[in-house]
Amino acid sequence: MRGTHRVALTGLSTISGIALLLALKPHHADQPPLSSPEPDSGGGHGGSAPSASGGTRTGTFTGDAVQTKYGPVQVRATLDKGRLTAVKVLKTPSDNEKDRSIAADAVPKLTKEALAAGGAQVHAVSGASYTSDGYARSLQSALDKADSGKHGASRPAQQGAGSGQSTTGRGGGRP
Amino acid sequence: MAVTTYDNRPRAGRHRRTPRTRALRPPGRPPAAILVAHLLVWGGAAAVLGLWWADTPSVLGAAGWLTGAGRITGLLAGYACAVLVALMARVPAVDHALGTDRLARWHAMGGRFTVGLTLAHVFSIVSGYALTGHTGLVRQGTDVVLHYPDMLKATAGFLLFLVTAGVSARAARKRMSYELWHLLHLATYAAVFLAFGHQLANGADFAGRLPAQIVWYVLYLGVAALVLWYRVLAPVRSALRHRLRVAHVREEAPGVTSVYVTGRRLDELAAQPGQFFRWRFLSRGLWWSAGPYSLSAPADGKGLRITVKEVGGHSAAVARLAPGTRVWAEGPYGGLTPARAKSGRSLLLAGGIGITPLRALFETLPGEVALVYWAHRQHDLALRSELDAIAGRRGGRVHYSVSGPAGHTLPMDAGTLSRLVPDIAERDVYVCGPAGMAETAKRAVREAGVPGARIHHESFAF
Amino acid sequence: MTAATGSARGLRHVEHVMGTVFSFDVRDEPVPALREALARAVAWLHRVDAVFSPYRPDSSVGRLARRTTTLAEEPADVAAILELCAELEDATRGCFSARPAGRLDPSGVVKGWATEEAARILERAGARNLCVNGGGDLQLSGEPAPGEPWRVGIADPRRPDRTVAVVSGRDLAVATSGNAERGRHITDPRTGVPVDGPLSCTVVGPHLTRADPYATAALVMGDEAWEWLARLDGYALLTVPADGGPPAAGDGFPLAEPPPA
């Protein structure tokens, strides 16, 4: 039927046109173009001068407003030797209640990339409060053991010696 | 000399004489008005896309693609809605230049496309947001509808839009009267109005960009002003100014009635032969819809005449109009005017009630005019005495053809037409009649060598 | 009490008290003054447990809850803590409360406060570089090694043996409040209804006494926590969402960079 042919043709050409437009745009995340550093360099070891190459920059920089789905957001980044250590949001679209709660939802996601930079080696672990049993399974106990183990000390005794250790009911499950 | 002929030859069958036709010429260049219209519409669409382009630094990930597609389709749909409404604003200059039926056709095609765009927009935006926010489609959709600004209204508008689209589908339209369908279709105004707010409130390409917002306001307010003036205020003004009333009603043929309408300052209406008005008769059952009927006689400053065939509730009620009934006439509309004829020689092909505008043209077209009038039966040849009289007065030719009794039929093909009108290829041809007849006639005429630019046709099937 | 393990690199000790486990990690030279301070810090923890535990029949809080005593008859700390709770309840618009569902239970403040005070005991004895982990909430001072900041992993609430992010700093507290264990057991003190938001909230700031209840309140607040915490100078928030997505960190949250190779 000519009708369906025309519909299919129109549909296909529209989809291709839109896909072409989208494809012509860059697909990598732009760093918010960073302007010159502010006088109060916050990061790192006390005021090292920001160097020219991006890889070893240290300091606090304010970027241009970045377009998010909620509107323009302006960001201040703190770098320590080229690594993002903190991101502070300066300007969020917040005309009304809804925008503010929406912006609150949008803001933290900007630092998602920075989370991955942490790496694995830690000295201690923070987590929801664990019981004694939970502790035994936690990473903190492994860290405690690893360090004490290195020095050949005996493992800490469980329960027992301390006075008043008995816990009733819900045990240590406090927030 | 008037010549009235019946063709005594049997209907063309196996032994069709091969006509001496020239090679089929390609259709002529479309008139300038159509080109300008295309440029404006597509140019506006390109500008809208340019807005998106300028505003988008990058497209990141699947969510970015989906949201980007959602923004593009949203912008285009918003623009398209304004264009669709503008097409139907009944601006006389646009109507005369492009033709009412062409505008209606563009509107219908564009409307279907816009519904598709809108569906794509809704789906892409919700999916894109859902991916960005790591939530499910349903939850994201609910969030958008309930918590984003102006979205409740926009959703209502979207649903209204879908309903009117469904009602406009051919299958549905067949089951309801034109008047009812038209009334339901007016809900699209409400849909566009409801959806306007969310475009500016949520559109990422409008956020913080005052020039873009201003342009959007201008576009929509401009179109609204056109509609308000030409579809509401101008008709009221015209009604007050001309105070039209039904003078008398006369039956021309079984089921065919002429209505004479008089009023004041009729010459100001500047109705040309071949044009039509949208007639709103202020009587019970007729006041709430306006029927398009052509003038069946040239407007002489004393009155206007239409000739209506009973095909449905509205036209049947027209036949029973009481003299003195007040009338509102919107118009004139239509591009089937004498101005189209540049060659000085014309051929009019009428089928059934399509005779009405051609009867007026037959009387007023300059130069040589021939008319061929197809009808079912002899008594269906409405206005026949008038046609004969005109032919006699001005030296035009008229040929009648009826489907029965047998033996009085003129086949509607290139050969017959060329024989009847040997110089047909140099003439302007006006065609008016039911859709099937009109298509056959246009094809025959093209085969006979008439270039597309000289074939003038207006369809009433909108 | 178990013997503290000493080494040239410092003191480490693990103590089971208050129904959970406290870890001490002192990186200064383990001179006798510090060993003695550690013992006092451990004793302090037990004393707090004796006074504040809502589960012990003979604790002050238990008695106050049953109204068999008055504030004036109890140690001054109790009044101070309850006053702090009142201030926090006000600041968090009721999302933190010492009286959830009407029952007196200041545990949300007590553990962090006790941990911070234990760290101060050691500091007053001369320790400069230490980490005290009270059941998942930490108070940190100084550096674990010269030139290197403390690195604290934030446990993945879904897999306690993994971390989802690393915090880095020198003098700060890290408190995490979680809702993942044993079903959603955290309730909104205003309504008594279980909270259905992120799996865990981590608050970082100078004082654990505050960071601990802030983390709990943030869990109850949900999306509003970002805005609320942004107004508190010096404190920052990270949340782990329930839907399996990556954590979200807010203004000024001190995420760590990878350690030098």
Side-chain angles (χ1 to χ4, degrees), chain A residues 6 10-11 14 18-30 67-72 96 98-99 102 105 109 112, chain B residues 49 52-60 64-65 68-69 71-73 109 113 117 129 132 134 140 147-149 202 204 207:
Chain A
R6 201 175 343 146
T10 319
T14 311
I18 295 179
L20 180 68
L21 276 177
L22 290 168
L24 286 172
K25 282 285 175 184
H27 296 287
H28 50 268
D30 293 340
Q67 276 295 344
T68 69
K69 82 170 165 159
Y70 307 109
N96 57 40
K98 282 299 152 236
D99 281 348
I102 291 167
D105 187 45
K109 304 280 193 293
K112 218 170 30 177
Chain B
L49 288 176
W52 173 83
W53 183 265
D55 193 55
T56 307
S58 57
V59 172
L60 303 174
W65 276 74
R71 286 197 195 130
I72 293 176
T73 46
M109 288 198 298
F113 184 65
L117 275 179
Y129 282 12
T132 311
H134 300 284
Q140 183 67 58
H147 297 130
Y148 281 40
N202 294 299

Side-chain angles (χ1 to χ4, degrees), chain A residues 118 121 126 130 144 147 165, chain C residues 12 16 20 23 133 151 153 176:
Chain A
Q121 294 181 306
S126 173
Y130 33 70
D144 292 336
D147 263 338
Q165 285 279 327
Chain C
R12 295 194 71 111
H16 293 247
T20 182
S23 304
N133 186 345
R151 295 169 57 80
T176 299

Side-chain angles (χ1 to χ4, degrees), chain B residues 406-423:
Chain B
H408 298 265
T409 307
L410 281 172
M412 203 183 296
D413 58 35
T416 314
L417 293 176
S418 301
R419 196 181 37 79
L420 284 174
V421 187
D423 62 346

